[in-house]
Amino acid sequence: MSRLMEPLAVGRVIGEVVDSFTPSVKMSVTYNSYTQVCNGHELLPSVITSRPRVQIGGDDMRDAYTLIMTDPDAPGPSDPYLREHLHWIVTDIPGTTDASFGKEIVGYEIPNPIIGIHRYVFILFKQRARQTVTPPASTNHFNTRKFSEENGLGLPVAAVYFNAQRETAARRR
């Protein structure tokens, strides 16, 4: 297993959210211009209050990508009966740009973990072409694999996740 994939497997992103894949495109997720998302690192909810900048690699601006952000631990990691909770979908993102150039079909929802430590996963798919992606009926009980299959997206080309938990008064100091 590649060094890029190991944290996704250890964090159970591979298995619970997506099947094993070979990363082929660089993706960088940054909150507030300076907080880089790295696999398995914890980010405080007070840092992730605005939509992140998601830079997409690739070889060509004519390539199109779909970005999904999901929480597989909703409402809590010990009983994730809402698995997965969808936080964001952007389609038709041109390669070598960022998500702001795509079409937002599900608006960004700020992570708000109430119980336990949650994983927030960004998954990138390469589209076969510019296409109409069908928005899900609900943001609860979302299934990344099913969504990918229904929209002909195949396996991911990149993924990264962070952990977050509710900030208590003592942790904010």
Side-chain angles (χ1 to χ4, degrees), residues 12-153:
R12 299 178 333 276
V13 170
I14 292 177
E16 290 184 8
V17 181
V18 295
D19 294 324
S20 188
F21 66 95
T22 302
S24 58
V25 174
K26 288 189 176 198
M27 175 174 66
S28 172
V29 181
T30 309
Y31 280 94
N32 301 323
S33 300
Y34 59 87
T35 304
Q36 181 81 31
V37 172
C38 296
N39 282 321
H41 288 206
E42 183 175 357
L43 298 180
L44 298 174
S46 58
V47 172
I48 53 177
T49 58
S50 60
R51 181 178 11 213
R53 179 171 184 185
V54 181
Q55 294 176 283
I56 309 298
D59 300 323
D60 193 330
M61 281 187 73
R62 292 173 290 190
D63 291 337
Y65 295 88
T66 293
L67 174 72
I68 295 172
M69 179 186 177
T70 184
D71 173 2
D73 301 314
S78 62
D79 184 21
Y81 65 85
L82 295 177
R83 175 177 291 164
E84 304 163 38
H85 181 80
L86 180 63
H87 281 265
W88 196 25
I89 296 181
V90 183
T91 65
D92 293 331
I93 305 167
T96 72
T97 67
D98 68 65
S100 66
F101 290 96
K103 178 182 174 187
E104 189 175 69
I105 64 167
V106 173
Y108 182 75
E109 180 183 336
I110 297 168
N112 185 23
I114 303 298
I115 302 166
I117 299 171
H118 290 243
R119 296 166 292 165
Y120 293 94
V121 185
F122 294 90
I123 306 133
L124 186 68
F125 294 93
K126 185 174 182 181
Q127 298 171 204
R128 291 192 181 109
R130 302 246 187 253
Q131 67 188 66
T132 301
V133 174
T134 306
S138 170
T139 57
N140 289 324
H141 304 292
F142 180 75
N143 185 297
T144 299
R145 285 183 186 96
K146 183 178 175 188
F147 179 82
S148 171
E149 184 180 311
E150 289 171 350
N151 288 283
L153 297 173

